[in-house]
Amino acid sequence: MNKYSKPLGDLINIKSDFFEHNDRNLAMADDMADALLAQPLRTKCKICHTPIEGEKLFTSHKMDYYLCPVCSHLNSSHEDTDAFAQKVYIDDDYACNYSAADRERYEKRLEMIYVPKAQFLVDCLKEDGINVNDIRLLDDGAGSGYFVRAMQSLGADACGIEISTAQVRYANEMAGKEILRQIDADKITEAIKTTDRKVLSAIGVLEHIIMLDETLEAIKCNENIKYLYLSVPMFSFSALFEASHQSCYNRHLGGTHTHLFSDKSLEYMAERIGFEIAHSWRFGSDIMDLYRFLCVTLEQGGNPGAKEVLSEKFLPLIDSLQAVVDESGFASEIHMVMRRKG
Ligand SMILES: [Zn+2]
């Protein structure tokens, strides 16, 4: 199955922070760039290990980026290391008592963002002859438990593992039962290596893993895992729009995203772990990013009137413009189901 696009819906309100707090978010991303610049130079491609040499492709928000000549993966000039992770992954301070408004926000995010992701996986596995009630899934890097909850709501047996104690507590509190287990970073590989679950999901996770080679090896070695469902950020228009708008917050490339995938690097990764790409769903937020950069730049230039007109004329076009980008294959995000070969 190759699926494209999804309507924007109310997403613009969920992401309004990016519009309203550009300077604050930009400063945060700049600090993360400084932390990455303090790390050693990256010597080889994160995915295929080809030496990084020759000319950079471009510079964006302080960082140089190199396109791998073999797998087209986009790598930052500096390496993501444990020291970098220590600096940038700060455990959010989740309160212990949640208001009704918190719960409402959680449910809305679950419904709008995560249920469609779960439904896609359920549809793909159905095509492979697996009924939703027979799906047993482990979600790696489960965060606040959204994806596990979404899978459960569709009838699957799903649980998750997560490093952050605060997020596990939050997720379990929101679910009203234990859906996630806290596991220390150095035990995650072991958990993947030994799971008896057939489906492993990693939604927005692989790009953050420092020891990605170890994780991939664990998946390869555990023959119980027949399907890998992943979502990763792609080298796409978003990255180029960001490079051309240096005074705007770079959501996609920069911050904790130190490298971006390509169709080729995903194929390379699948091959390396003995999997094949079975299904994909491309839907980016490239046009939304572009729209945000135009709005922010107009504001910065003292042009609020033009921003008003832009909003009125441009917003209704976002879904159709993004659909064109999605079908071009150069979109910011992909969801993919990989299937073990043989
Ligand atoms: Zn490569």
Side-chain angles (χ1 to χ4, degrees), residues 45-50 68-73 75 265 268:
C45 171
K46 182 96 183 178
I47 299 298
C48 78
H49 303 160
T50 299
C68 174
V70 172
C71 78
S72 303
H73 199 74
N75 295 279
S265 67
Y268 191 95

Side-chain angles (χ1 to χ4, degrees), residues 89-101:
Y89 297 113
I90 301 155
D91 222 356
D92 279 341
D93 200 11
Y94 288 81
C96 283
N97 293 305
Y98 309 105
S99 64

Side-chain angles (χ1 to χ4, degrees), residues 237-249:
F237 284 112
S238 274
L240 299 176
F241 294 159
E242 284 175 356
S244 57
H245 290 84
Q246 296 288 326
S247 66
C248 300
Y249 167 54

Side-chain angles (χ1 to χ4, degrees), residues 268-280:
Y268 191 95
M269 196 175 85
E271 189 64 35
R272 202 177 131 190
I273 58 174
F275 281 56
E276 62 196 349
I277 295 169
H279 311 275
S280 69

Side-chain angles (χ1 to χ4, degrees), residues 12-204:
I12 198 156
N13 287 325
I14 288 186
K15 307 226 162 174
S16 64
D17 177 64
F18 292 166
F19 284 78
E20 287 158 20
H21 302 293
N22 180 71
D23 293 354
R24 192 179 71 195
N25 285 321
L26 183 63
M28 179 195 71
D30 275 354
D31 286 348
M32 291 188 184
D34 290 337
L36 188 57
L37 285 168
Q39 307 309 314
L41 284 174
R42 204 189 281 281
T43 56
K44 53 188 183 18
C45 171
K46 182 96 183 178
I47 299 298
C48 78
H49 303 160
T50 299
I52 290 175
E53 50 199 12
E55 288 290 303
K56 68 179 180 198
L57 184 64
F58 63 91
T59 305
S60 178
H61 296 77
K62 300 184 176 183
M63 193 65 55
D64 291 344
Y65 294 96
Y66 291 80
L67 196 64
C68 174
V70 172
C71 78
S72 303
H73 199 74
L74 189 74
N75 295 279
S76 60
S77 56
H78 289 66
E79 196 168 21
D80 45 331
T81 60
D82 285 332
F84 172 71
Q86 289 287 335
K87 283 219 161 82
V88 300
Y89 297 113
I90 301 155
D91 222 356
D92 279 341
D93 200 11
Y94 288 81
C96 283
N97 293 305
Y98 309 105
S99 64
D102 289 334
R103 286 184 184 279
E104 201 177 304
R105 260 196 304 277
Y106 186 97
E107 294 299 325
K108 190 171 172 190
R109 201 180 165 84
L110 174 67
E111 218 30 64
M112 278 195 51
I113 300 181
Y114 288 89
V115 170
K117 292 175 197 276
Q119 188 64 55
F120 176 67
L121 175 61
V122 167
D123 292 346
C124 290
L125 293 178
K126 196 170 177 72
E127 278 206 3
D128 278 29
I130 300 167
N131 213 296
V132 65
N133 305 109
D134 296 325
I135 297 175
R136 293 185 65 245
L137 174 140
L138 177 69
D139 191 33
D140 177 28
S144 300
Y146 290 107
F147 187 64
V148 169
R149 281 281 301 283
M151 286 301 293
Q152 289 179 345
S153 76
L154 297 177
D157 173 358
C159 64
I161 50 177
E162 166 59 41
I163 295 169
S164 156
T165 310
Q167 289 218 75
V168 168
R169 199 173 53 217
Y170 178 66
N172 291 341
E173 171 79 21
M174 285 294 159
K177 60 181 177 183
E178 189 179 317
I179 58 167
L180 305 189
R181 267 185 306 145
Q182 190 277 336
I183 293 197
D184 289 338
D186 58 345
K187 302 274 172 10
I188 291 271
T189 308
E190 193 55 29
I192 293 173
K193 220 182 260 175
T194 55
T195 184
D196 62 356
R197 297 194 164 234
K198 194 173 181 174
V199 186
L200 181 74
S201 56
I203 311 291

